[in-house]
Amino acid sequence: MKQRSVLVVLFDGIQSLDVTGPLEVFAGASGFPEVTYELRTASLDGAPVRSSSGLVLVPDGSLADAATPHTLLVPGGEGTRDPAPGLIDWLRLHGPRPERLVSVCSGALLLAAAGQLDGHRVTTHWNVCDHLARTYPAVEVDPEPIFVRDGRLATSAGVTAGIDLALALVEEDHGREVALTVARHLVVFLRRPGNQSQFSAQLTAQTARREPLREVQHWITEHPGEDLSVESLAARARLSPRHFARAFQAETGMTPGRYVDRVRLEQARRLLEDTTDGVTGIASTCGYGTPEAMRRAFLKVLGTGPAEYRRRFSPRPAGDPATTTMQFAH
């Protein structure tokens, strides 16, 4: 049995869920036979830290006394805005040593300040992506995915995306069944793919100011299988196609075509995850016309086809042995 050590860096102003979410994933995986993660937390001086919500976290020790772990995880939180210089110095010296270097949410700012992200593709919470890109131009910031792997480096978006990343790391270490079973016991989404967008179409797009355009947005979401051409949508909004296209983009921040593409993909994903409907039927329901058109859309955005997506991310039937393998201590 190969034991992997995980060290989580603590500091004042930390986001507590960035710490507890991944730790619960690794601890849950350790309930499997032949799976062991040695979990430790450490602050700069070994003293307790206060999270942004006021929760006090007591570390196992100081960073100075911590052994080099297999996985070093740096959470985010308000404390990343003005970090202690000693913390950045420690990350600069010790960041290159672990086999895996991980950040959750705005923890990427600490790694960037320590020079650990230069030349790498990374992500972080959508609200700090622009700041990260402007402040550290040597870092390639991708604001879209919920997490990004680049060699030994792994970075994730905000809060719950840290759980998704931790599940992906567990899958990498111990296989898909372990990761999926941990997800079920934590009652979370069964391992979202890393290149899934941080936002749904409805969250990414702004809500249109004018009522006819808002009604069109709602219609698209409720009727992905209908004719959603610009001409058809413009007629529903009682505008000319040219005027509608300009107004829709101006008020929502994206073209009608891009909005439709996102809505259809999200609906197809949900049906693959939550139903046993066939791919052909889902393609028709979601407005793709043919399974091949849906397959191309999945490959373009998610990097995997619908059949493989369903195999990896849909729940197993009740009674599957994989759901009863893990033993939890009480």
Side-chain angles (χ1 to χ4, degrees):
M1 176 173 59
K2 181 177 181 181
Q3 185 181 68
R4 288 179 169 84
S5 57
V6 179
L7 176 64
V8 181
V9 176
L10 302 184
F11 50 87
D12 283 322
I14 203 167
Q15 165 61 259
S16 58
L17 285 176
D18 290 357
V19 178
T20 59
L23 283 179
E24 289 292 344
V25 171
F26 292 122
S30 293
F32 278 84
E34 305 302 317
V35 177
T36 301
Y37 287 101
E38 178 192 356
L39 306 176
R40 292 188 61 80
T41 59
S43 64
L44 191 59
D45 57 2
V49 302
R50 185 176 294 276
S51 74
S52 56
S53 64
L55 181 69
V56 175
L57 303 177
V58 180
D60 294 310
S62 70
L63 290 173
D65 296 331
T68 299
H70 172 273
T71 299
L72 178 64
L73 190 149
V74 181
E78 294 179 2
T80 62
R81 298 176 182 177
D82 186 24
L87 177 59
I88 302 303
D89 291 341
W90 188 90
L91 289 171
R92 183 177 292 110
L93 178 63
H94 294 270
R97 298 178 181 178
E99 291 186 37
R100 281 195 306 229
L101 183 60
V102 178
S103 70
V104 178
C105 194
S106 57
L109 292 173
L110 301 181
L111 292 183
Q116 302 304 302
L117 303 187
D118 289 357
H120 291 283
R121 175 174 168 259
V122 306
T123 195
T124 185
H125 190 284
W126 62 269
N127 197 39
V128 297
C129 280
D130 286 346
H131 172 68
L132 179 61
R134 288 195 309 270
T135 308
Y136 303 100
V139 180
E140 180 187 350
V141 181
D142 189 341
E144 282 287 327
I146 59 172
F147 63 83
V148 169
R149 292 298 307 275
D150 187 355
R152 60 183 284 272
L153 183 66
T155 54
S156 76
V159 189
T160 58
I163 296 176
D164 295 300
L165 176 54
L167 287 167
L169 297 178
V170 168
E171 180 176 351
E172 177 183 300
D173 294 340
H174 299 290
R176 175 175 175 268
E177 296 305 324
V178 174
L180 290 183
T181 306
V182 172
R184 290 189 192 98
H185 281 272
L186 293 177
V187 198
V188 297
F189 189 101
L190 296 183
R191 224 294 260 140
R192 294 181 292 177
N195 52 0
Q196 180 174 321
S197 175
Q198 293 192 34
F199 299 107
S200 67
Q202 291 80 8
L203 288 176
T204 304
Q206 304 166 37
T207 301
R209 296 188 301 275
R210 283 182 278 180
E211 183 63 29
L213 296 180
R214 289 200 300 271
E215 289 180 356
V216 167
Q217 285 182 288
H218 181 71
W219 170 263
I220 293 170
T221 302
E222 295 296 320
H223 303 86
E226 298 289 337
D227 176 9
L228 300 181
S229 64
V230 169
E231 291 75 17
S232 175
L233 296 176
R236 181 165 294 278
R238 296 181 175 85
L239 298 171
S240 71
R242 185 176 180 181
H243 186 189
F244 168 77
R246 288 202 308 266
F248 189 95
Q249 182 165 7
E251 295 199 18
T252 69
M254 64 174 61
T255 65
R258 188 180 181 200
Y259 187 83
V260 168
D261 287 345
R262 288 193 173 214
V263 168
R264 283 175 167 162
L265 185 69
E266 289 166 15
Q267 178 66 6
R269 280 184 36 248
R270 284 194 292 269
L271 291 175
L272 288 169
E273 294 158 10
D274 299 335
T275 75
T276 59
D277 296 351
V279 170
T280 299
I282 291 175
S284 177
T285 298
C286 296
Y288 285 108
T290 67
E292 176 59 25
M294 187 169 84
R295 189 183 75 86
R296 289 196 300 268
F298 268 65
L299 289 173
K300 179 180 179 181
V301 178
L302 300 176
T304 187
E308 174 63 11
Y309 183 91
R310 167 171 275 171
R311 186 189 73 78
R312 297 189 69 189
F313 304 120
S314 66
R316 287 180 170 268
D320 188 306
T323 65
T324 59
T325 303
M326 186 161 53
Q327 301 295 319
F328 286 90
H330 296 283

